């Protein structure tokens, strides 16, 4: 006989502020019949997508849902439950592999953009160390690849070094003197933002 998991389900519902099985069915986009199957440990008869919808609504993982509501079901349901658990593990592995692949591709593309910098900057540093009179202007073209990368990512600077700008503590970090909102301050070190998202503030002084 299937186990009754009503109390366990109600406890999960209470944690996320759901006060009825009908509300759970509505929020998860399932049916009252589906929720009854869950309560009676017939989770092995439910489709994978349904489990995802319910677990998302209850704010737990699919694996936790399977562990909590597997119960002692019929042999066919138990077999289906085991298949669902295997499918979940397989999907988890696929997601991890996809994340690793995307990260690797992202890093590779970024490094390609920085090719000239990575190639020539070490040589410029070596030349500067050997010769104190090495002109800094020779290094400037090397940082253009960084500028291109920042542009591709939608990253913009907050003000330009040496310019005066109205002080805004949200975008400016005062490193010398005092200033009130709107006072003119000078940009000492660049800040950056990506769209409307602040990366770090520009350092300013009055």
């Amino acid at each position: 006989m299937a186990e009754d998991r009503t109390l366990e389900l109600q406890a999960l519902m209470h944690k996320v502020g759901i006060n009825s099985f009908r509300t759970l069915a509505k929020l998860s986009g399932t049916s009252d019949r589906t929720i009854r199957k869950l309560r009676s440990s017939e989770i092995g008869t439910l489709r994978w997508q349904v489990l995802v919808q319910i677990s998302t609504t209850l704010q737990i993982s699919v694996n936790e849902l399977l562990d909590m509501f597997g119960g002692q079901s019929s042999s066919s349901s138990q077999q289906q439950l085991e298949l669902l658990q295997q499918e979940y593990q397989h999907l988890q592995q696929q997601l991890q592999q996809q994340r690793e692949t995307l990260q690797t591709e992202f890093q590779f593309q970024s490094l390609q953009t920085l090719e000239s910098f990575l190639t020539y900057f070490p040589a410029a540093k070596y030349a500067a160390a050997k010769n104190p009179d090495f002109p800094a202007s020779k290094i400037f073209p090397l940082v253009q690849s960084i500028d291109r990368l920042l542009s591709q990512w939608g990253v913009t600077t907050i003000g330009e070094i040496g310019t005066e700008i109205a002080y805004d503590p949200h975008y400016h970090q005062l490193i010398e003197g005092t200033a009130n909102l709107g006072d003119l301050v000078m940009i000492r070190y660049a800040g950056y933002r990506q769209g409307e998202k602040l990366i770090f503030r520009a350092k300013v002084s009055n």
Side-chain angles (χ1 to χ4, degrees), residues 1-158:
M1 183 177 178
E3 294 184 23
D4 187 345
R5 295 300 177 88
T6 297
L7 294 178
E8 288 91 334
L9 182 56
Q10 287 176 326
L12 290 174
M13 292 163 54
H14 178 71
K15 288 182 180 179
V16 295
I18 299 174
N19 55 19
S20 72
F21 297 123
R22 178 159 294 181
T23 301
L24 174 60
K26 183 177 180 180
L27 291 176
S28 62
T30 58
S31 65
D32 293 339
R33 183 168 178 268
T34 295
I35 302 305
R36 285 197 297 272
K37 285 188 174 184
L38 188 63
R39 292 167 58 189
S40 60
S41 300
E42 296 178 60
I43 194 171
T45 64
L46 302 178
R47 292 182 293 108
W48 174 256
Q49 182 58 37
V50 171
L51 299 183
V52 172
Q53 292 169 214
I54 294 173
S55 65
T56 300
T57 304
L58 294 174
Q59 298 180 19
I60 61 174
S61 69
V62 174
N63 207 31
E64 289 174 309
L65 190 71
L66 291 171
D67 288 340
M68 293 181 68
F69 295 93
Q72 299 298 320
S73 53
S74 66
S75 58
S76 60
S77 294
Q78 188 64 29
Q79 190 175 37
Q80 180 65 18
L81 177 61
E82 291 173 359
L83 290 174
L84 286 171
Q85 290 173 322
Q86 291 173 8
E87 182 179 1
Y88 175 75
Q89 292 171 357
H90 178 65
L91 288 173
Q92 287 291 90
Q93 291 173 353
Q94 282 187 323
L95 287 173
Q96 181 61 32
Q97 290 173 354
Q98 288 175 358
R99 280 194 291 265
E100 291 174 356
T101 299
L102 287 172
Q103 183 179 27
T104 300
E105 290 178 354
F106 171 76
Q107 292 172 345
F108 181 73
Q109 290 174 0
S110 300
L111 290 171
Q112 282 186 316
T113 302
L114 295 172
E115 179 183 0
S116 62
F117 177 81
L118 295 171
T119 300
Y120 299 110
F121 188 67
K125 281 202 323 183
Y126 177 80
K130 291 293 184 181
N131 179 13
D133 296 326
F134 182 80
S137 60
K138 290 185 178 294
I139 299 178
F140 294 160
L142 303 182
V143 299
Q144 290 179 351
S145 56
I146 297 179
D147 290 336
R148 285 197 300 272
L149 182 64
L150 295 178
S151 178
Q152 289 173 9
W153 291 348
V155 176
T156 56
T157 57
I158 300 173

Side-chain angles (χ1 to χ4, degrees), residues 136-194:
S137 60
K138 290 185 178 294
I139 299 178
F140 294 160
L142 303 182
V143 299
Q144 290 179 351
S145 56
I146 297 179
D147 290 336
R148 285 197 300 272
L149 182 64
L150 295 178
S151 178
Q152 289 173 9
W153 291 348
V155 176
T156 56
T157 57
I158 300 173
E160 294 186 8
I161 294 175
T163 61
E164 288 189 332
I165 193 169
Y167 178 63
D168 182 344
H170 180 71
Y171 292 111
H172 308 137
Q173 178 185 348
L174 194 63
I175 60 174
E176 185 179 315
T178 59
N180 296 315
L181 180 67
D183 289 349
L184 286 179
V185 291
M186 181 173 288
I187 302 289
R188 297 283 297 277
Y189 299 95
Y192 293 89
R193 62 183 178 184
Q194 188 175 34

